Amino acid sequence: MFDACVLGVDPGIASLGLAAVCRRARRPHLLWSQTLRTSSRQPEELRLKEIYGGVTDAIARHGAASVAVERVAWNRNVSSGMHVARATGVVLLAAANAGLQIAEYGPLEVKMAITGVGNAGKRQVHEALTRAHGLRDVPAQPDAADAVAVAVCHLTQARLRHEAERAVAR
């Protein structure tokens, strides 16, 4: 009924957060998290290839049923945004090649789902993952912790969508 395992992704070219989260007894359970780092000394295409390999490996290793990605938030630094957008494209390609469903969530949407507050800081998100959602071993590394939050957001949204569809069908 719900995703057995979702791979949460906080995209980036220099560091990309990954987290596998599943639902057990109606609660999220963190299976694994990692920050994949690429070297700025490498050409961008090799960095993107490394990201593709890391995402593909994570999908296979953890049996992900879907992939949830934090949507790129464009700011003043367009060049940086383009690199993140390219990394996001590689993540989407890896998920599509695996035949998985893909969902994207904006940063405010993730924060609202996790903390109930759209302008929550990283510390508040980390604390909510631990206290409100009952997760253990939430990583201290920000990119990996953000990936956990994206995955939990997806599990929450999938449950709400399912309940709404059931209510409409009645």
Side-chain angles (χ1 to χ4, degrees):
M1 173 182 349
F2 300 121
D3 293 328
C5 176
V6 60
L7 181 69
V9 182
D10 179 34
I13 188 80
S15 63
L16 178 119
L18 296 166
V21 178
C22 68
R23 185 185 313 279
R24 289 187 184 159
R26 305 187 96 193
R27 306 274 309 175
H29 177 75
L30 176 60
L31 299 173
W32 167 86
S33 64
Q34 173 187 4
T35 299
L36 189 150
R37 297 188 188 284
T38 65
S39 172
S40 61
R41 289 181 231 151
Q42 290 184 320
E44 185 176 42
E45 62 271 16
L46 294 179
R47 297 171 83 182
L48 294 172
K49 182 178 178 183
E50 191 175 334
I51 289 168
Y52 180 84
V55 172
T56 301
D57 182 57
I59 288 169
R61 184 179 307 145
H62 302 288
S66 62
V67 174
V69 182
E70 186 170 77
R71 193 175 299 118
V72 177
W74 291 91
N75 55 25
R76 295 179 197 262
N77 191 341
V78 175
S79 177
S80 175
M82 284 300 296
H83 292 296
V84 175
R86 288 176 180 149
T88 300
V90 167
V91 170
L92 299 179
L93 176 63
N97 280 345
L100 301 182
Q101 292 183 343
I102 302 164
E104 289 186 86
Y105 299 96
L108 294 178
E109 194 174 4
V110 172
K111 291 174 185 178
M112 282 295 296
I114 302 304
T115 69
V117 180
N119 65 349
K122 291 199 180 283
R123 190 170 133 228
Q124 287 174 294
V125 170
H126 194 280
E127 287 176 4
L129 286 169
T130 303
R131 291 185 182 148
H133 298 280
L135 291 172
R136 294 179 186 210
D137 302 321
V138 176
Q141 208 293 321
D143 296 312
D146 286 351
V148 173
V150 173
V152 172
C153 172
H154 179 68
L155 288 174
T156 302
Q157 296 298 325
R159 187 181 79 227
L160 293 175
R161 272 194 305 272
H162 176 74
E163 291 300 323
E165 289 168 3
R166 274 185 45 189
V168 169
R170 288 185 199 159

